[in-house]
Every structure is written in C-alpha cells, then in structure tokens.
Amino acid sequence: MNHVPAASAVENPQDASQLKTLSILHYVFAALYLLPLLVAFLYVFMGVAILKGGIHSQPGDEVGGWVLIGFAVALFLVAIIGGGLTFIAARRLSQRRSRTLCMVVACISCLSVPLGTALGVFSLIVLSRPSVKALFGER
C-alpha cells in the first residue's frame, strides 16, 4: 500500500531527485554490506577444516577453528542485519515512508567510514529539511 503525502505538501523537484538518489545509494550500500558474507563462508570453511584436522593442524588447534567459526557467525549477523536495515531504508525512502527509520539507518551508516559516513551525513541533511518532512507526511 502506497503512502500518500499530505495534500498541503507540494513536491519540490530537487527534494524528489535527492530522495531518489538517496534510495539508489542505499540499495548499493546494502549490497556492499552483504559482500562480507563471502568472507564469512570462507572463515566457516577454514574453521571446519581445522576442526576436522585437514589444514596441517596440531593437537589443540580446535580453539582456533572455533574462533574462526565464531568470527564468521558474528560477521554474518552484522552483514545480514546491516544490509537488511539499509535495504528497508532504501525502500522506505522511495516510498517516502518511515522517515525516523531512515534517519536511524543513516546514523548507523555513519559508522562505516568513509562511504557510509558520506551517505549517512547526506541522508541526515536531506531528511532534516522541512520540505522533505512534509513529503513524508510529517509537520
């Protein structure tokens, strides 16, 4: 279901263009968030190989295998959660819904230096404008 902005909100072409650009950039950033999944699978493979004794492992190397698997699980969770939230924010930006969610994701994106910081700061600047707030149906 599409969200219809308030009738008093007149769409500024510059705001519409910047929201579309932000949406596209958030989709790209979500894809970049998911790239570490490839590394996570590699770490799982290496960890399992160490546990099975396949990579020139010595007795007592099991701890290293479990550390690699644990690191892979943590990397997997960060990638899925971060990529998923960024994807949802991209969708919401294009629909002009959930401005607060988009701002929270922009703040979280600022932690990913340098690309995420640039995207997050630009997103916060655009989403803070009164004219953009009106497009999202807020006062």
Side-chain angles (χ1 to χ4, degrees):
M1 183 167 132
N2 289 336
H3 174 68
V4 180
S8 64
V10 177
E11 186 171 302
N12 179 351
Q14 182 181 7
D15 289 338
S17 172
Q18 289 178 352
L19 285 172
K20 181 178 180 180
T21 302
L22 279 176
S23 177
I24 292 168
L25 290 174
H26 274 82
Y27 280 122
V28 171
F29 197 61
L32 290 175
Y33 246 119
L34 298 177
L35 281 179
L37 289 177
L38 300 174
V39 175
F41 288 124
L42 178 65
Y43 283 155
V44 166
F45 176 74
M46 291 186 329
V48 168
I50 288 172
L51 290 175
K52 297 285 185 184
I55 302 182
H56 304 291
S57 59
Q58 302 293 323
D61 282 347
E62 292 85 19
V63 173
W66 286 112
V67 168
L68 282 174
I69 292 172
F71 186 72
V73 168
L75 191 60
F76 179 81
L77 290 174
V78 168
I80 291 295
I81 293 169
L85 281 174
T86 306
F87 181 83
I88 291 169
R91 181 108 171 116
R92 296 293 192 231
L93 281 167
S94 65
Q95 296 171 341
R96 296 188 177 120
R97 294 176 41 203
S98 307
R99 183 179 152 272
T100 304
L101 172 74
C102 294
M103 291 189 78
V104 168
V105 171
C107 289
I108 294 170
S109 295
C110 286
L111 298 174
S112 298
V113 177
L115 297 176
T117 302
L119 178 62
V121 168
F122 183 57
S123 298
L124 289 171
I125 290 170
V126 171
L127 290 169
S128 296
R129 286 193 205 132
S131 58
V132 173
K133 287 180 187 179
L135 290 175
F136 278 81
E138 296 179 11
R139 292 184 211 162

